[in-house]
């Protein structure tokens, strides 16, 4: 029997496993409900692990860096609503919710009349059980790294629930270590392979973070009001050291420090307007102040880079949802004001160096209007149509004065076919428009790489048309999902040369049309059907192939920053009789390439293995021992540096940097209290 036939047979056996009674499909396949009993055999410790077990569902965090609210929202609701804030990720919020607090999770499919899908085909709604008057959890963690580094963490969360008014408080202080940096070599070689410079190199990186959040909920005027606030202090650090051994001994030291302070507040109000309408109002404000100081010193020279930025965002959004009969209609509008004030400076050997467009203030006033309508065409077929219109006005002052106005239509059409209760096919056609990164308007220097980039005031957002087909097959408590999409991109934002004062700089800009093909596959496979009780295997794969015309060489090449392959496989094994849970995951090697004006930079992270074992002697205590990067995998950066613009210049040298952070282990202790 061939290997492929064996895999097909095992999948068929797994598919024959009956669906647990805890997972109930709603009418028309629009929703499924998974109560606490569905998760009993897997013993998840928090809502994040529970969401990861939902058949056919993959968590999308959203992007907190996206301006406005629409593009930043993820695909998980908590008690029917998304968090109003943007700094805290969905993953972090879900990990703070103990599994005992989750009453059930609803898997909502596109076409629902009661929820803002935000363009997603699936939403997970985590419905919380009523807590006791006071409940919460305390967590302590210590991770031990190579070279004596430590990663301590202390967190505390408390919920006060009284007469419909719920207050959630959370605070944490911790140090995170970047395990993609560490200790190794950084060597340079000529085009014929001869060594030009050999050096031992160290670049350990991390961040010290303190954060406090508050969330409050209460009934108000027949609806529900939610308030949230966040304060975060984040101090990144990197200590850099070269020990050059060839061609002559030399020592270079450096440091990178960045201090970011974030304040955020938000509100969300929902109210039913009669039997067929729901109103939702969202408002938020966020401010981030950042100071970054980089230094590099050798026996003969010194450099200092000083980057300071203040960014703010104010958002107001209103949506009205109408549901009558088979129709679900949503209309709404969103407005946002975003401001970035950035000041960058470079000093070499005590003298300032001119940075193109280093002092810039960017302000954006943006509005978006949207409408979505969906209805079942028959018992198995649902159609959804949507349209968004976005307009914005960008103004730049400082080293350059420029005002531009932008406007875009963004239509979307989705067709959902459910030929059988356990199979779904989704077809999607949509247009998307990207957002400009305000940081790309500002010139900056990197001492670590020895490069200067220019700001580009003439940037336009890229846009694309996407067509996508997704097949979802559910079997028992497992699922297999396969998606294929093609994207036709206009005005691709990538790297291009910019000339300032007669000097060619690398900058972010529009390089023309491009195309991207993506295939995604996801498997969630409980092995109970083949005798491995309590074992769940998950696997995820994303393959991309993009093609664009390089502005430096005129040749076709991949899109900068695209990962050709991302793949991960994980296994968990729950043994309730022993109050034990263990598992591990392996992330396959991945490579990211950036095609700059005078260099090509490729970052490769080798495959990594993580393992854990978790013991819960009772409902209140949890002990988790973990080991990460057990393969001691290297992070390799290869830079091909040219004498001038690529395509017109010869290769000056190749730089090879190989860093290892080492294996590390840790222990997490959690203690729950209250009801």
């Amino acid at each position: 029997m061939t290997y492929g036939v064996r895999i097909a047979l095992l999948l068929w056996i797994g598919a024959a496993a009956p669906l647990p009674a805890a997972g109930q499909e709603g009418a028309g396949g629009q929703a499924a409900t998974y109560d606490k009993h569905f998760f009993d055999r897997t013993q998840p410790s928090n809502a994040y692990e529970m969401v990861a077990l939902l058949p056919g569902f993959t968590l999308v965090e959203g992007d907190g860096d996206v301006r406005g609210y629409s593009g930043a929202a993820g695909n998980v609701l908590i008690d029917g609503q998304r968090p109003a804030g943007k700094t805290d990720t969905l993953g972090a919020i879900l990990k703070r919710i103990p599994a005992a607090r989750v009453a059930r999770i609803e898997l909502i499919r596109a076409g629902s009349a009661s929820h803002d899908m935000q363009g997603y085909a699936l939403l997970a709604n985590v419905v919380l059980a009523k807590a006791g008057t006071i409940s919460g959890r305390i967590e302590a963690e210590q991770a031990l790294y190579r070279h004596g580094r430590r990663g301590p963490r202390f967190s505390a969360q408390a919920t006060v629930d009284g007469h419909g008014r719920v207050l959630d408080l959370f605070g944490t202080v911790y140090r995170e270590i970047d395990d993609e940096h560490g200790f190794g070599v950084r060597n340079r070689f000529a085009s014929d392979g001869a060594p030009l410079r050999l050096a031992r190199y160290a670049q350990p990186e991390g961040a010290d973070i303190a954060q406090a959040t508050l969330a409050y909920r209460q009934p108000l005027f027949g609806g529900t009001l939610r308030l949230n606030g966040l304060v975060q202090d984040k101090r990144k650090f990197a200590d850099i050291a070269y020990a050059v051994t060839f061609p002559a001994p030399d020592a270079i030291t450096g440091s990178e420090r960045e201090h970011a302070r974030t304040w955020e507040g938000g509100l969300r109000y929902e109210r039913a307007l009669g039997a067929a309408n729901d109103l939702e109002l969202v408002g938020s404000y966020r401010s981030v102040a950042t100071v970054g100081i980089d230094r590099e010193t050798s026996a003969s020279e010194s450099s200092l880079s000083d980057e300071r930025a203040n960014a703010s965002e104010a958002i107001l959004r209103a949506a009205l949802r109408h549901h009558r009969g088979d129709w679900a209609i949503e209309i709404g509008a969103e407005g946002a004001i975003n401001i970035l004030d950035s000041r960058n400076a470079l000093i070499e050997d005590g003298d300032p160096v001119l940075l193109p467009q280093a002092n810039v203030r960017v302000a954006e006033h943006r509005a978006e209007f949207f409408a979505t309508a969906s209805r079942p065409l028959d018992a198995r077929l649902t159609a959804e149509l949507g349209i968004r219109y976005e307009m914005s006005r960008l103004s730049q002052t400082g080293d350059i004065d420029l005002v531009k106005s932008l406007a875009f239509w963004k239509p979307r059409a989705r067709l959902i076919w459910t030929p059988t209760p356990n199979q779904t096919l989704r077809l999607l056609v949509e247009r998307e428009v990207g957002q400009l990164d305000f940081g790309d308007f500002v010139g900056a220097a990197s001492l670590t790489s020895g490069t200067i980039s220019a700001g580009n005031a003439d940037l336009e957002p890229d846009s694309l048309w996407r067509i996508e087909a997704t097949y979802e097959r559910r079997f028992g408590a497992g699922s297999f999902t396969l998606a294929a999409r093609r994207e036709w991109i206009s005005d691709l934002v990538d790297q291009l040369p910019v000339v300032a004062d007669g000097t060619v700089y690398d900058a972010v800009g529009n390089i023309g049309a491009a195309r991207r093909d993506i295939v995604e596959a996801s498997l969630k496979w409980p092995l109970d059907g083949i005798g491995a009780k309590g074992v769940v295997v998950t696997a995820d794969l994303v393959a991309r192939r993009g093609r664009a015309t390089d502005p430096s060489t005129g040749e076709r090449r991949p899109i900068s920053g695209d990962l050709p392959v991302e793949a991960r496989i994980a296994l968990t094994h729950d043994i309730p009789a022993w109050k034990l849970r263990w598992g591990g995951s392996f992330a396959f090697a991945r490579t990211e390439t950036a095609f700059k004006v005078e260099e090509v930079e490729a970052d490769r992270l080798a495959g990594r293995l993580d393992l854990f074992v978790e013991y819960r002697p009772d409902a209140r205590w949890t002990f988790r021992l973990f080991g990460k990067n057990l393969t001691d995998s290297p992070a390799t950066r290869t830079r091909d540096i040219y004498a001038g613009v690529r395509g017109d210049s010869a290769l000056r040298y190749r730089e090879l940097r190989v860093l290892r952070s080492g294996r590390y282990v840790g222990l997490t202790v959690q203690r729950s209290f209250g009801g």
Side-chain angles (χ1 to χ4, degrees):
M1 184 181 296
T2 67
Y3 178 77
V5 172
R6 291 176 183 173
I7 293 296
L9 180 59
L10 289 175
L11 284 172
W12 179 83
I13 294 172
L19 179 70
Q24 303 290 336
E25 278 292 327
Q30 293 301 308
T33 300
Y34 299 90
D35 65 19
K36 297 174 71 70
H37 299 298
F38 177 83
F39 304 98
D40 283 347
R41 61 188 177 80
T42 50
Q43 305 181 95
S45 61
N46 54 52
Y48 180 86
E49 294 177 356
M50 297 172 79
V51 166
L53 293 168
L54 297 175
F57 183 80
T58 300
L59 174 66
V60 179
E61 294 268 13
D63 186 353
D65 294 328
V66 171
R67 298 187 301 280
Y69 186 75
S70 296
N75 63 348
V76 174
L77 313 177
I78 299 173
D79 280 339
Q81 295 186 338
R82 288 183 173 87
K86 294 173 62 178
T87 302
D88 242 357
T89 66
L90 268 178
I93 294 171
L94 292 171
K95 288 176 182 177
R96 295 203 295 262
I97 301 174
R101 280 203 65 196
V102 179
R104 64 184 184 277
I105 301 181
E106 300 166 348
L107 192 58
I108 303 162
R109 300 187 177 274
S112 168
S114 303
H115 298 281
D116 180 6
M117 300 298 293
Q118 293 271 319
Y120 292 108
L122 291 171
L123 293 179
N125 180 28
V126 179
V127 180
L128 302 181
K130 180 177 174 56
T133 304
I134 299 179
S135 63
R137 183 167 62 173
I138 297 173
E139 177 181 304
E141 179 179 293
Q142 180 67 281
L144 306 179
Y145 295 79
R146 187 184 292 178
H147 306 289
R149 292 177 292 166
R150 301 286 186 268
R153 176 191 299 263
F154 180 81
S155 303
Q157 180 265 334
T159 299
V160 182
D161 189 345
H163 306 291
R165 291 172 169 81
V166 181
L167 175 66
D168 279 305
L169 300 171
F170 173 75
T172 183
V173 179
Y174 62 99
R175 167 170 284 193
E176 61 180 15
I177 301 296
D178 184 350
D179 62 5
E180 295 182 16
H181 289 83
F183 302 82
V185 298
R186 186 172 176 177
N187 301 324
R188 291 181 178 177
F189 303 91
S191 57
D192 61 0
L196 300 176
R197 187 184 74 180
L198 302 178
R200 296 188 301 274
Y201 183 71
Q203 190 179 342
E205 294 190 6
D208 293 319
I209 301 169
Q211 178 178 310
T213 66
L214 175 151
Y216 176 72
R217 181 176 80 245
Q218 74 163 54
L220 183 68
F221 302 135
T224 302
L225 173 68
R226 297 173 188 250
L227 304 174
N228 71 279
L230 176 144
V231 179
Q232 184 187 84
D233 186 274
K234 185 172 185 177
R235 300 171 187 257
K236 294 182 179 179
F237 59 86
D239 295 308
I240 300 167
Y242 298 79
V244 179
T245 59
F246 178 85
D250 194 8
I252 304 172
T253 59
S255 66
E256 296 179 356
R257 297 292 185 268
E258 182 182 278
H259 183 194
R261 291 167 293 176
T262 302
W263 297 267
E264 182 178 77
L267 66 85
R268 180 187 294 271
Y269 180 70
E270 279 197 348
R271 186 182 190 278
L273 303 178
N277 299 293
D278 296 302
L279 174 67
E280 179 185 59
L281 300 174
V282 178
S284 70
Y285 178 81
R286 179 170 63 164
S287 173
V288 182
T290 306
V291 176
I293 305 292
D294 298 352
R295 292 183 171 87
E296 187 173 283
T297 304
S298 68
S300 59
E301 58 186 24
S302 65
S303 300
L304 182 145
S305 172
D306 186 333
E307 300 183 0
R308 298 170 186 266
N310 289 282
S312 65
E313 178 180 52
I315 303 171
L316 184 62
R317 175 186 175 91
L320 179 66
R321 291 188 290 274
H322 175 79
H323 40 94
R324 186 181 299 275
D326 291 335
W327 283 98
I329 300 173
E330 181 182 43
I331 59 173
E334 177 181 305
I337 300 174
N338 292 272
I339 298 173
L340 172 67
D341 197 338
S342 183
R343 300 287 184 270
N344 295 341
L346 174 63
I347 299 173
E348 293 186 347
D349 299 326
D351 297 321
V353 177
L354 177 65
L355 295 177
Q357 299 179 27
N359 300 313
V360 175
R361 185 181 190 272
V362 186
E364 178 192 47
H365 292 74
R366 189 174 61 82
E368 181 180 84
F369 304 91
F370 55 90
T372 303
S374 64
R375 75 180 299 269
L377 302 181
D378 60 33
R380 298 181 178 179
L381 194 63
T382 300
E384 177 188 303
L385 297 174
I387 186 75
R388 291 177 290 164
Y389 179 70
E390 177 185 319
M391 55 185 182
S392 62
R393 184 178 184 272
L394 278 168
S395 62
Q396 300 180 53
T397 57
D399 287 350
I400 188 169
D401 292 321
L402 180 68
V403 177
K404 66 171 63 178
S405 296
L406 304 169
F408 304 97
W409 289 97
K410 297 180 284 186
R412 181 179 69 246
R414 178 183 281 118
L415 198 62
I416 305 168
W417 182 42
T418 308
T420 65
N422 61 352
Q423 296 185 86
T424 301
L425 179 65
R426 297 186 289 268
L427 300 177
L428 172 69
V429 178
E430 67 177 345
R431 186 186 189 221
E432 279 197 0
V433 179
Q435 285 193 358
L436 299 177
D437 185 341
F438 286 177
D440 294 334
F441 295 121
V442 186
S446 171
L447 301 185
T448 303
S449 61
T451 59
I452 296 176
S453 60
N456 186 357
D458 294 327
L459 267 174
E460 297 282 338
D462 55 17
S463 62
L464 63 83
W465 281 96
R466 175 186 295 121
I467 183 169
E468 175 182 296
T470 304
Y471 172 74
E472 179 187 327
R473 171 77 160 88
R474 299 175 295 280
F475 48 89
S479 63
F480 173 73
T481 304
L482 179 66
R485 69 179 65 98
R486 169 163 286 186
E487 298 173 347
W488 293 269
I489 307 171
S490 301
D491 296 321
L492 176 69
V493 175
D494 205 301
Q495 303 285 330
L496 50 64
V498 169
V499 179
D501 297 326
T503 303
V504 178
Y505 293 96
D506 189 84
V508 174
N510 303 103
I511 68 170
R515 193 179 74 186
R516 181 189 286 123
D517 296 314
I518 303 175
V519 175
E520 295 186 12
S522 177
L523 173 68
K524 297 181 181 181
W525 188 13
L527 302 187
D528 300 61
I530 58 174
K533 187 176 180 180
V535 177
V536 178
V537 174
T538 61
D540 297 283
L541 168 70
V542 181
R544 301 178 184 86
R545 187 179 188 274
R547 307 299 293 175
T549 300
D550 194 310
S552 298
T553 65
E555 299 177 351
R556 299 290 284 177
R557 52 121 168 123
I559 297 171
S560 289
D562 274 3
L563 296 172
V565 177
E566 292 180 90
R568 179 180 178 273
I569 187 169
L571 177 147
T572 59
H573 183 198
D574 291 88
I575 312 173
W578 295 356
K579 302 179 180 180
L580 197 67
R581 183 172 186 252
W582 70 275
S585 64
F586 183 80
F588 292 83
R590 56 181 175 84
T591 302
E592 179 179 344
T593 304
F595 297 87
K596 302 181 181 180
V597 174
E598 297 181 355
E599 70 173 278
V600 176
E601 180 181 285
D603 286 298
R604 185 180 189 275
L605 186 63
R608 294 192 168 199
L609 175 66
D610 298 339
L611 296 174
F612 77 91
V613 60
E614 187 174 276
Y615 175 63
R616 284 192 283 176
D618 56 41
R620 297 186 180 276
W621 287 97
T622 301
F623 299 88
R624 183 184 182 98
L625 180 67
F626 60 87
K628 295 189 176 184
N629 191 26
L630 297 180
T631 46
D632 192 14
S633 302
T636 303
R637 171 172 290 179
T638 304
R639 299 173 64 207
D640 287 338
I641 311 294
Y642 291 81
V645 176
R646 290 183 299 108
D648 297 330
S649 306
L651 181 70
R652 287 177 56 201
Y653 60 86
R654 166 170 287 186
E655 182 176 90
L656 182 65
R657 189 192 75 183
V658 182
L659 295 176
R660 281 184 163 87
S661 63
R663 307 173 182 89
Y664 60 100
V665 298
L667 176 66
T668 306
V669 179
Q670 297 175 358
R671 172 67 162 87
S672 299
F673 61 88

